[in-house]
C-alpha cells in the first residue's frame, strides 16, 4: 500500500476509535515507508488515545519542530497535558502561545494536518477554519477539498452534506484517491443510497485490493441492503485477509444469533471476539462496551450470551472505573439476567459517578418496580417527568409509567395509552436507520418483547371465533412482533409470541407454523409445547394435543404446578367426552398453590408461583362448564358463585358474569342472561365481549336482527373507535345489510386510514350489493389517492369477474410498473399481481403473455419463500400454496401445448412446494398415464389415495391402470370400494360397466345396478342411472332397450351429451357390425339388400341426424367429435357422393391433427365403402402402430377389427389373428373378435376351436335374449355348424332348438344341421 493508502487507513482507524490498530498501522508504515513525520505523529496520537499519555507526549515532543506536522503536534501536546492525571498548566499556556504564533506563518501541509487532527477530535467547526485557510493558501488543493468534503459529510447539517459530493468528484477527477472514494461512500450512505455506496466501495476494492476498511464498509452496506448472505460472505473474505478482524467476527456472531438463532455458534464467535479484542485493543474501554450492546439486546436473555456480554462490559468498567455509562450498562446486563439486587447496586454506582445520568435513574426505578417498591418508584418517576421536558421524550420512562399504572390497577385505557406512547417514541427514534449493528441496539428487541408481554395482559384469554374480528391490541402486537422477527428472525421468544398472538387472533394455521419452526430449532421449548397443545386442541386433534402436553412435561416438570397445563388437559378430556376426568383435573388445578387470593395471614414458604388472574379465572369457568355439560347444573352454579367471591372487584369478575349468562342460557333463561349482561358498563373491561354476547343471544335465541345490530350500535355510541365501528359493519354484513355496513366501514376507515383490511371490506361490501360500477369508482378513487395501492388486486379481480379484461390487465400492469423492490410485502404483492395478470391473459387468449407472467410470478415467489422462511414464518404455508398454484398453472399451459415433459417438471415442482396438493398429484398421474408410464402413474395414485382415500378420480385411474396391467380383479376392487361407499355414484358405475365389459364379466353388472336402486327410492328417476342401465343393455346386445334408457338421460346437463352420442351410434349400427367390413357381407347379403332393411337404415340415419342437432359441444374436441358423427351419418347412407363428402372432412381433420384416431378410422371406413381397400389398409396400419389409450379405446377396437377383416379377405389369417387377440386383450367381451376368430378356425377346419370362439361370440352377443336378431342368428348357425363338424351333436341340436323356438322358419338350420346332427347321434 502506498503512502496515500496508508494515510487513509490511519484516518479510518482514528474515526473508528481503534487506537491500538492505529499505533500498529503507523509502526507498519514507518517500517515500510521510512521515518515520515506524518506517520510518527499518527503513532504518537495512537499512544495518546490508547492511554499511554506520557509515551505519547515523549513522541510528540520529538517531532514538534517538523514543519508539516508542527501545528497538529502542538495541539496534540495541549490535549495530552489536559488528559494527564496532573495537568502541567504552565506547559499548556506555553504550548498555546507557541501554537498561536506558528499558526500565523503555517504552510498548507501544517494547516491540513491541523484540520485533520481537529476533525478526529470531533471539533468540526475549528477544523473547518484550518481547512478553508489551507484551500485558500494552496489554491484548491486536492487533499484540502477531500478533507472539506469529509467535514461536510460528517457534520450532520443538510446544507453542508449536499455540497460534499461535489468536492469528492472534483478531487477524483485527478485520479482514484482511496480517501476520497471512502468519503464518497460515506456520502451515499448518509443519503441512504446504499446501492450507490456499494458501487463506490467495489471501485475501491478493484483499485486497492488490500485496503481492509473497504471490505468492512462493503460488509456493512450489504447488511444495510438486508443481504445477509452477501454480508456473511464478505465477512469470510475479510477473515481470510485478517483472521482477527473484529468487525468480521462480530458480523458472523450476529448472523448466528439474529438470523439463524444458533446460540452455541454465536456464543463461540463471541468468545473469539473477546479474545481478538484482548489481543488487538486491550485498553479500549469504549470498544469493549460497544461490542456487547447489540448481543445483549437480541439474545432473548440467553444466559450463555449474557455471560459473554457481561464479561465485555465488566472489562470496559475495569478500564474506566469512573465512567457512569459503563456502570449503567452493567446494571442493565444484571436486569437481563434477573439479578435485581446487583443491578440496583450498579445503577447506584452510576449515580455516584454522574448524578445527572438519566439512564441510571430509570434503571433504579425499574429495579424498584420489580421489587414492588411502588411508592419509591412513583416519587422518582414524578421527578424524572419534570426533568424530561428539558431532555426530550423517553420511551423507557413511558414504559415504566405504564408498568406502575398496571401494578396500581389503573384503568386499561390509561395503561394502553402509555404503552402506545412507548412504541411511538421507540419507533420514531429508529426512523431512517439502516439495518446495522447500531440498529439492533436501538431496536432493542428485548425491550419490545417486554412491551408486548404487557399488552397481552389486556388481550382476550381465548382465541377469536371464526368470522369474529380479533382485538385491535392483537393487531398492534402482531405488527410490532413482525418488525422484530423481520429484523431478528433467530429470536425464538419473538416467534413464540407471534404464535401466541396469531392463536388469540383465531389464525390457528399461522400459530401452528410459527410454533413448528420454534420447536424445530429448540425441541425443549416447554412453553411452545404448551401453546402447541392449545393449537391442536383448537384443531380438534386431541391425540397430538396430549402428545404436546407430555413433551412439555418431559422438558419442564414444574409445569404441573401451573393451572394452564391442567386447563388444556381438562379441555382435551372434555373434547374426548371424558367429563368426569376433566372435572377431576380441574379440581386438582383449583387446589394448586397460588390459585387463591393471598390473604394477610397466609405466608407462603419456599418459591411463590405467580399465576395470572386470567389463568386462575379460566380454571373456575372451565370447571363450571364441565359440570354443566355433565348435567350437574347445581355444581356449576356453586363454582360460579365461588368464582364471583374470589374475583370480586377485579376485571376478571366480568368474565365470571358472562359465564353466568351462558349458564342461564343453558337453563333456557334467556331474559336472566340478558339482565346479567346489561349490568356491565362501558367503563369496565370486557364490555365489548358482553355486548357481543348479548348480540349473539338476540340473533340466536330471539331471532331479532334489529336488536342484534342495536347492540353493536350501542357499542359504537359508548366506545367509538375503529374497532367498534368495524364490529358494527361486520354485524350489518352478517344480517345481509351491506349498504349500512359500507357506511359504517367508511367511518371506521376515517378513524384508522392505515387499516388495509377495512378499505378492502368496503369494496367487497359494494360488490355484495351488486353495485359494481360504484365498487369500481371506489377502488379507482382509492388508488388515485395513492394511499390504498394494495386495492389494485381487488379492482383487477372485480374487472376480471365483469369480463373487462383489458381494463383489468391495465390496472395490474400499472401496479407492476415500478423499480425493483426488496421489501418482502412488496414481493408478495407483485407475485399475486402476476398470477392474476396471467389469468386475465388466459381469458384474452394471450397464452404466451400468460406464461411469461407466470414465469415472473414463479421467480418472485422463489424470492418470497426464501425470505418468508426467516422473516415471516406464519406466511410460509400460504406462500407455498401460491407457489404450487403458479407451477400447476404453468404445467396446465404446457399440457395444452402438448409439451408433456415440461408439464411433468412443473407439476413435480408444485408438489415440492405442497406435498399434499391432490389436484397436482392427479394431473401428474394423468400425464404419466398419457405417456404410458404406468409405474409412475401408479406411484402418484398410491400417494394420492394415501392422502385422500375417497378420491374418486385417483381410484378410477388406479382401476384403469390395473386394467391395463390385465389385473381385472384389482381394477374392479377399486371401483367396488367407491360404489360401496356411494352406490349412486353414477360416474363410477358407468366406468365400472365399461371395465366389466372389457374384463368379460358383464354378468356382474346387475348386482351394482340393484345396489343403486336399493340405495334410494329416487334412483329410477335419476338420468345417471338410466345412462348406466342403457350402457349395460347396449353392451349385452339389447339396442332397443338401451335406446329407451339413453333417451331418459338425453335431456340431462351431465349425462345428456354422452347419451345422445350413444343413441346415434346405436341408430347407425344397431347390430354392432364392422362398418366397411366385407367378410360377413356375402353371408348377410340377402338380409342386407332387403327393402325392409333399407327403409330401416334410412329411418335410423334420419333419427341420428335429428339427435345430432341436440348436441351443444363446449370444447374444441367436442366440436371435432360432432363433425365426425355428422360424417358417419353421411357414410351410413352408403351413397357415393355422401361418402366422398365425409372422406374430405375426415381428411381435413387429419391434416390439422395427424394422429386423430377417430378421423383416421373414418377415412378408412369411407375408403372401404368406396371399395378402395389399399387406401383403407394404409390408414388402419397407421392406427395399429399407435399406443392404445382409454380415450380412443372404441376407435382402436373398430380399427383393428376392420384391418383384421381386410387381412381375412386376403387369407392373411396370422396377421388377422394377432389383431383380434389385441382386441380381446383390451375387451374380452368383443363379440365380433370372437366371431372373426371362429371364422378363421372354420376356414382352417379347426372346428372345435371354431366352435369355442362362436360359443363366446354367442355368449357376448346375448344368448339369453329370446328375441334373437339377425346378426345373432348368423352366429348361432355358424356355432351349430361347427358343433356338428366337431361331433358335438347334442350341443348342435340344443343351439338349433333355441333358434327355431324364436324363428321356426329359419332357413337351412333344420335341414342342414338339426337333421344331420340327429342322424349322426342315432348312428
Amino acid at each position: 500500500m502506498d503512502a496515500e493508502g496508508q494515510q487513509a487507513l490511519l484516518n479510518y482507524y482514528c474515526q473508528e476509535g481503534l487506537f491500538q490498530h492505529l499505533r500498529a498501522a503507523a509502526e507498519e508504515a514507518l517500517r515500510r515507508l521510512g521515518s515520515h513525520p506524518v506517520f510518527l505523529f499518527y503513532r504518537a496520537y495512537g499512544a495518546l488515545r490508547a492511554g499511554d499519555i506520557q509515551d505519547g507526549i515523549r513522541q510528540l515532543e520529538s517531532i514538534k519542530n517538523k514543519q508539516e506536522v508542527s501545528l497538529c503536534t502542538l495541539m496534540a501536546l495541549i490535549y495530552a497535558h489536559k488528559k494527564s492525571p496532573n495537568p502541567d498548566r504552565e506547559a499548556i499556556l506555553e504550548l498555546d502561545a507557541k501554537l498561536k504564533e506558528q499558526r500565523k506563518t503555517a504552510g498548507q501541509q501544517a494547516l491540513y494536518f491541523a484540520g485533520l487532527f481537529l476533525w478526529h477530535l470531533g471539533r468540526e467547526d475549528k477544523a473547518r477554519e484550518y481547512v478553508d485557510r489551507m484551500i485558500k493558501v494552496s489554491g484548491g488543493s486536492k487533499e484540502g477539498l477531500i478533507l472539506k468534503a469529509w467535514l461536510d459529510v460528517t457534520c450532520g447539517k443538510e446544507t453542508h452534506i449536499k455540497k460534499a459530493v461535489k468536492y469528492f468528484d472534483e478531487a477524483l477527477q485527478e485520479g482514484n484517491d482511496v480517501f476520497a472514494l471512502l468519503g464518497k461512500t460515506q456520502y451515499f450512505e448518509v443519503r441512504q443510497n446504499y446501492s450507490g455506496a456499494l458501487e463506490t466501495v467495489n471501485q475501491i476494492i478493484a483499485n486497492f485490493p488490500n485496503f481492509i476498511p473497504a471490505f468492512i464498509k462493503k460488509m456493512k452496506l450489504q447488511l444495510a441492503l438486508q443481504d445477509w448472505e452477501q454480508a456473511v460472505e464478505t465477512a469470510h473474505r475479510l477473515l481470510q485477509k485478517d483472521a482477527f478482524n473484529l468487525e468480521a467476527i462480530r458480523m458472523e456472531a450476529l448472523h448466528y444469533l439474529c438470523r439463524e438463532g444458533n446460540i452455541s455458534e454465536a456464543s463461540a464467535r463471541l468468545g473469539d471476539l473477546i479474545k481478538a479484542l484482548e489481543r488487538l485493543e486491550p485498553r479500549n474501554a469504549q470498544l469493549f462496551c460497544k461490542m456487547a450492546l447489540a448481543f445483549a439486546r437480541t439474545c432473548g436473555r440467553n444466559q450463555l450470551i449474557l455471560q459473554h456480554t457481561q464479561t465485555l462490559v465488566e472489562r470496559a468498567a475495569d478500564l474506566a472505573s469512573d465512567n457512569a455509562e459503563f456502570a449503567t450498562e452493567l446494571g442493565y446486563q444484571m436486569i437481563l439476567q434477573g439479578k435485581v439486587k446487583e443491578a440496583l447496586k450498579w445503577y447506584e454506582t452510576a449515580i455516584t459517578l454522574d448524578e445527572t445520568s438519566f439512564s441510571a435513574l430509570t434503571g433504579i426505578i425499574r429495579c424498584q418496580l420489580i421489587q414492588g417498591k411502588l411508592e419509591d418508584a412513583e416519587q422518582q418517576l414524578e421527578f424524572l417527568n419534570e426533568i424530561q421536558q428539558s431532555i426530550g421524550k423517553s420511551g423507557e420512562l413511558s414504559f415504566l409509567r405504564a408498568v406502575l399504572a398496571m401494578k396500581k390497577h389503573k384503568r386499561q385505557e390509561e395503561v394502553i395509552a402509555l404503552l402506545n406512547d412507548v412504541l411511538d417514541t421507540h419507533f420514531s427514534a429508529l426512523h431512517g436507520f439502516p439495518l446495522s449493528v447500531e440498529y439492533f441496539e436501538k431496536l432493542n428487541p428485548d425491550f419490545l418483547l417486554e412491551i408486548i408481554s404487557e399488552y397481552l395482559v389486556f388481550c382476550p384469554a381465548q382465541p377469536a371465533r371464526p368470522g369474529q374480528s380479533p382485538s385491535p391490541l392483537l393487531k398492534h402486537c402482531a405488527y410490532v412482533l413482525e418488525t422484530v422477527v423481520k429484523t431478528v428472525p433467530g429470536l425464538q421468544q419473538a416467534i413464540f409470541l407471534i404464535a401466541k398472538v396469531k392463536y388469540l387472533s383465531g389464525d390457528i394455521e399461522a400459530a401452528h407454523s410459527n410454533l413448528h419452526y420454534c420447536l424445530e430449532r429448540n425441541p425443549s421449548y416447554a412453553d411452545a409445547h404448551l401453546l402447541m397443545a392449545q393449537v391442536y386442541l383448537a384443531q380438534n386433534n386431541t391425540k397430538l394435543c396430549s402428545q404436546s402436553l407430555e413433551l412439555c412435561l418431559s422438558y419442564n416438570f414444574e409445569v404441573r404446578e401451573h393451572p394452564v397445563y391442567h386447563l388444556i388437559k381438562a379441555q382435551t378430556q372434555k373434547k374426548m367426552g371424558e367429563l368426569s376426568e376433566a372435572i377431576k383435573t380441574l379440581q386438582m388445578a383449583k387446589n394448586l398453590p397460588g390459585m387463591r387470593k393471598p390473604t394477610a395471614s397466609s405466608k407462603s414458604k419456599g418459591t411463590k408461583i405467580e399465576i395470572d388472574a386470567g389463568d386462575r379465572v379460566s380454571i373456575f369457568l372451565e370447571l363450571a362448564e364441565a359440570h354443566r355439560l355433565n348435567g350437574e347444573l347445581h355444581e356449576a352454579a356453586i363454582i360460579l358463585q365461588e368464582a364471583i367471591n374470589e374475583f370480586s372487584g377485579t376485571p376478571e369478575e366480568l368474565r365470571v358474569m358472562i359465564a353466568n349468562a351462558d349458564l342461564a342460557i343453558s337453563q333456557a333463561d334467556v331474559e336472566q342472561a340478558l339482565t346479567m349482561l346489561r349490568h356491565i358498563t362501558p367503563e369496565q373491561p370486557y364490555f365489548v365481549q358482553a355486548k357481543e354476547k348479548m348480540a349473539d343471544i338476540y340473533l340466536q335465541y330471539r331471532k331479532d336482527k334489529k336488536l342484534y345490530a342495536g347492540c353493536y350500535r350501542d357499542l359504537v355510541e359508548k366506545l367509538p373507535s375503529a374497532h367498534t365501528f368495524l364490529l358494527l359493519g361486520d354485524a350489518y354484513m352478517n344480517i345481509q345489510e351491506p349498504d349500512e355496513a359500507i357506511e359504517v366501514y367508511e367511518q371506521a376507515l376515517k378513524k384508522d386510514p392505515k387499516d388495509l383490511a377495512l378499505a378492502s371490506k368496503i369494496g367487497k361490501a359494494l360488490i355484495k350489493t351488486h353495485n359494481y360500477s360504484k365498487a369500481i369508482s371506489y377502488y379507482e378513487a382509492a388508488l388515485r389517492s395513492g394511499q390504498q395501492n394494495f386495492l389494485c388486486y381487488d379492482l383487477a379481480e372485480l374487472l376480471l369477474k365483469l369480463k373487462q379484461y383489458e381494463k383489468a390487465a391495465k390496472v395490474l400492469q400499472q401496479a407492476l410498473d415500478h423499480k425493483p423492490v426488496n421489501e418482502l410485502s412488496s414481493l408478495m404483492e407483485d407475485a399475486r399481481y402476476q398470477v392474476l395478470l396471467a389469468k386475465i391473459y388466459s381469458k384474452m387468449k394471450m397464452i404466451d403473455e400468460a406464461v411469461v407472467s407466470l414465469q415472473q410470478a414463479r421467480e418472485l415467489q422463489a424470492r418470497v419463500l426464501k425470505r418468508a422462511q426467516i422473516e415471516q414464518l406464519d406466511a410460509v404455508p400460504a406462500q407455498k400454496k401460491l407457489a404450487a398454484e403458479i407451477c400447476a398453472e404453468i404445467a396446465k399451459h404446457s399440457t395444452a401445448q402438448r409439451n408433456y415433459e415440461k408439464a411433468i417438471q412443473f407439476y413435480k415442482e408444485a408438489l415440492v412446494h405442497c406435498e399434499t396438493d391432490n389436484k397436482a398429484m392427479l394431473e401428474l398421474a394423468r400425464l404419466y398415464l398419457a405417456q404410458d408410464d404406468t409405474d409412475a402413474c401408479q406411484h402418484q395414485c398410491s400417494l394420492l389415495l394415501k392422502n385422500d382415500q375417497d378420491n374418486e378420480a385417483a381410484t378410477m385411474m388406479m382401476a384403469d391402470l390395473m386394467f391395463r396391467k390385465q389385473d381385472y380383479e384389482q381394477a374392479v376392487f377399486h371401483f367396488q370400494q367407491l360404489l360401496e361407499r356411494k352406490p349412486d355414484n353414477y360416474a363410477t358405475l358407468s366406468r365400472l360397466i365399461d371395465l366389466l365389459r372389457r374384463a368379460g364379466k358383464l354378468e356382474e353388472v346387475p348386482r351394482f345396478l340393484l345396489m343403486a336402486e336399493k340405495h334410494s327410492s329416487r334412483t329410477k328417476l335419476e338420468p345417471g342411472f338410466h345412462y348406466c342401465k342403457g350402457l349395460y343393455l347396449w353392451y349385452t346386445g339389447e339396442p332397443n332397450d338401451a335406446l329407451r334408457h339413453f333417451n331418459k338421460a338425453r335431456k340431462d346437463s351431465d349425462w345428456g351429451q354422452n347419451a345422445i352420442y350413444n343413441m346415434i351410434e346405436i341408430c347407425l349400427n344397431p347390430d354392432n357390425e364392422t362398418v366397411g367390413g366385407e367378410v360377413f357381407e356375402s353371408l348377410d347379403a340377402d338380409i342386407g339388400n332387403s327393402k325392409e332393411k333399407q327403409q330401416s337404415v334410412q329411418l335410423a340415419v334420419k333419427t341420428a341426424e335429428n339427435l345430432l342437432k341436440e348436441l351443444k359441444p363446449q370444447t374444441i374436441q367436442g366440436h371435432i367429435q360432432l363433425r365426425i358423427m355428422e360424417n358417419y351419418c353421411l357414410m351410413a347412407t352408403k351413397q357415393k357422393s355422401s361418402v366422398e363428402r365425409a372422406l374430405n372432412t375426415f381428411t381435413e381433420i387429419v391434416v390439422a391433427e395427424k394422429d386423430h384416431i377417430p378421423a383416421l378410422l373414418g377415412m378408412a371406413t369411407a375408403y372401404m365403402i368406396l371399395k378402395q381397400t389399399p387406401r383403407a389398409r394404409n390408414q388402419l396400419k397407421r392406427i395399429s402402430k399407435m399406443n392404445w389409450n382409454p380415450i380412443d379405446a372404441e376407435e382402436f377396437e373398430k380399427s383393428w377389427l376392420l384391418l383384421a377383416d381386410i387381412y381375412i379377405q386376403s387369407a392373411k389369417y396370422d396377421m388377422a389373428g394377432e389383431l383380434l387377440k389385441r382386441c380381446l386383450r383390451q375387451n374380452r367381451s368383443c363379440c365380433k373378435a370372437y366371431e372373426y376368430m371362429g371364422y378363421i378356425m372354420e376356414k382352417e377346419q379347426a372346428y372345435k376351436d371354431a366352435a369355442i370362439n362362436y360359443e363366446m361370440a354367442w355368449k357376448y352377443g346375448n344368448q339369453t335374449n329370446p328375441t334373437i336378431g339377425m346378426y345373432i342368428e348368423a352366429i348361432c348357425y355358424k356355432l351349430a355348424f361347427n358343433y356338428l363338424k366337431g361331433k358335438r351333436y347334442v350341443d348342435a341340436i340344443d343351439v338349433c332348438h333355441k333358434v327355431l323356438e324364436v324363428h321356426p322358419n329359419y332357413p337351412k338350420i333344420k335341414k342342414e344341421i338339426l337333421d344331420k346332427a340327429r342322424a349322426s347321434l342315432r348312428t
Side-chain angles (χ1 to χ4, degrees), residues 349-461:
T349 304
I351 286 291
T352 57
L353 293 169
D354 176 8
E355 58 186 28
T356 64
S357 172
F358 183 80
S359 303
L361 280 168
T362 53
I364 287 170
I365 297 167
R366 185 187 265 264
C367 292
Q368 288 168 339
L369 286 170
I370 295 168
Q371 290 173 331
K373 297 174 181 175
L374 303 187
E375 299 309 316
D376 294 348
E378 192 165 20
Q379 282 174 14
Q380 294 273 23
L381 276 170
E382 281 170 17
F383 166 68
L384 281 184
N385 268 334
E386 293 299 319
I387 64 164
Q388 189 180 225
Q389 313 300 324
S390 58
I391 60 163
K393 214 169 187 185
S394 156
E396 174 79 3
L397 197 60
S398 297
F399 175 67
L400 295 175
R401 285 171 62 207
V403 173
L404 179 67
M406 276 187 77
K407 286 188 178 284
K408 296 200 109 185
H409 305 295
K410 294 286 173 76
R411 284 179 64 241
Q412 181 176 327
E413 290 74 14
E414 189 183 324
V415 181
I416 287 167
L418 284 165
L419 289 171
N420 290 345
D421 193 39
V422 178
L423 286 177
D424 291 344
T425 309
H426 191 75
F427 279 115
S428 63
L430 288 166
H431 188 68
F433 254 88
L435 187 63
S436 59
V437 177
E438 291 74 25
Y439 182 83
F440 288 122
E441 290 166 23
K442 286 191 176 295
L443 179 70
N444 195 347
D446 190 274
F447 179 53
L448 288 172
L449 296 192
E450 278 191 285
I451 298 166
I452 294 303
S453 299
E454 301 302 337
Y455 269 121
L456 287 174
V457 172
F458 300 108
C459 290

Side-chain angles (χ1 to χ4, degrees), residues 502-545:
K502 295 289 179 187
Y503 168 70
L504 293 173
S505 302
D507 190 348
I508 305 300
E509 280 304 315
H512 181 273
S513 115
N514 279 290
L515 288 169
H516 181 70
Y517 177 84
C518 262
L519 292 167
E520 255 187 347
R521 297 292 175 98
N522 182 6
S524 61
Y525 198 161
D527 285 352
H529 281 296
L530 201 57
L531 184 56
M532 187 65 107
Q534 288 174 285
V535 165
Y536 284 135
L537 194 62
Q539 292 174 332
N540 293 318
N541 193 335
T542 51
K543 188 180 175 185
L544 288 177
C545 175

Side-chain angles (χ1 to χ4, degrees), residues 257-327:
L257 182 65
C258 300
R259 194 77 178 164
E260 310 237 314
N262 188 336
I263 298 291
S264 57
E265 283 292 343
S267 174
R269 288 313 267 148
L270 253 178
D272 295 340
L273 182 62
I274 293 168
K275 285 175 193 165
L277 275 166
E278 293 284 5
R279 177 180 176 147
L280 302 175
E281 291 285 338
R283 287 189 286 173
N284 197 330
Q286 282 292 345
L287 193 59
F288 272 99
C289 186
K290 195 171 98 174
M291 286 291 182
L293 303 180
F295 294 103
R297 285 147 181 79
T298 54
C299 70
R301 304 200 175 190
N302 180 274
Q303 294 301 309
L304 206 57
I305 301 295
L306 288 174
Q307 279 167 22
H308 287 305
T309 58
Q310 184 183 333
T311 302
L312 285 163
V313 184
E314 280 173 347
R315 186 84 174 89
D318 290 344
L319 289 166
S321 54
D322 59 343
N323 190 311
E325 187 191 324
F326 300 157

Side-chain angles (χ1 to χ4, degrees), residues 648-850:
S648 173
T650 72
E652 303 306 323
E653 182 183 9
L654 304 173
R655 273 183 70 192
V656 181
M657 200 179 282
I658 293 168
N660 240 329
D662 279 331
L663 185 63
I665 291 166
S666 70
Q667 292 170 326
D669 194 346
V670 173
E671 194 49 53
Q672 174 68 17
L674 289 168
T675 307
M676 287 179 192
L677 294 168
R678 286 188 196 110
H679 282 122
I680 300 174
T681 59
E683 304 79 49
Q684 295 175 296
Y686 297 104
F687 174 67
V688 175
Q689 288 89 328
K691 277 288 173 191
E692 285 183 293
K693 177 65 74 178
M694 282 177 78
D696 278 352
I697 292 169
Y698 282 128
L699 193 63
Q700 300 296 326
Y701 297 95
R702 293 276 177 89
K703 310 292 180 196
D704 192 327
K705 290 182 181 181
K706 201 173 173 184
L707 285 173
Y708 167 76
C711 285
Y712 288 101
R713 275 198 303 273
D714 190 36
L715 198 51
V716 166
E717 273 174 42
K718 301 278 182 10
L719 295 175
S721 70
H723 180 59
T724 52
F725 272 103
L726 178 62
L727 290 174
L728 177 56
D730 289 350
Y732 278 131
M733 286 300 285
N734 208 16
I735 55 173
Q736 309 298 315
E737 290 186 15
D739 292 322
E740 284 83 352
I742 292 162
E743 205 176 304
V744 175
Y745 285 145
E746 282 171 346
Q747 286 174 279
L749 196 60
K750 281 175 193 168
K751 287 190 171 291
D752 188 2
K754 291 179 184 173
D755 193 328
L756 312 184
L758 255 175
S760 188
K761 277 188 175 192
I762 295 170
K764 282 173 181 156
L766 283 165
I767 292 166
K768 201 160 189 178
T769 62
H770 302 290
N771 196 341
Y772 299 124
S773 55
K774 196 174 174 185
I776 290 169
S777 304
Y778 163 74
Y779 283 134
E780 286 172 345
L783 290 171
R784 274 196 301 275
S785 74
Q787 296 294 310
Q788 314 285 2
N789 288 337
F790 67 93
L791 292 176
C792 282
Y793 189 89
D794 290 2
L795 174 57
E797 207 170 32
L798 175 58
L799 292 167
L800 171 63
K801 186 180 177 183
L802 298 174
K803 298 186 178 175
Q804 296 181 25
Y805 302 132
E806 284 179 18
K807 267 180 107 176
K810 196 176 175 186
V811 167
L812 292 172
Q813 284 159 356
Q814 284 172 347
L816 288 162
D817 184 18
H818 55 69
K819 288 176 183 172
V821 289
N822 201 34
E823 271 291 308
L824 182 58
S825 56
S826 304
L827 291 171
M828 285 176 176
E829 278 299 308
D830 282 2
R832 285 177 75 225
Y833 291 159
Q834 290 286 14
V835 172
L836 188 57
L837 187 57
K839 273 185 196 169
I840 293 161
Y841 283 144
S842 294
K843 292 284 183 187
M844 294 165 82
K845 302 284 185 277
M846 294 165 69
I847 303 303
D848 290 344
E849 287 84 349

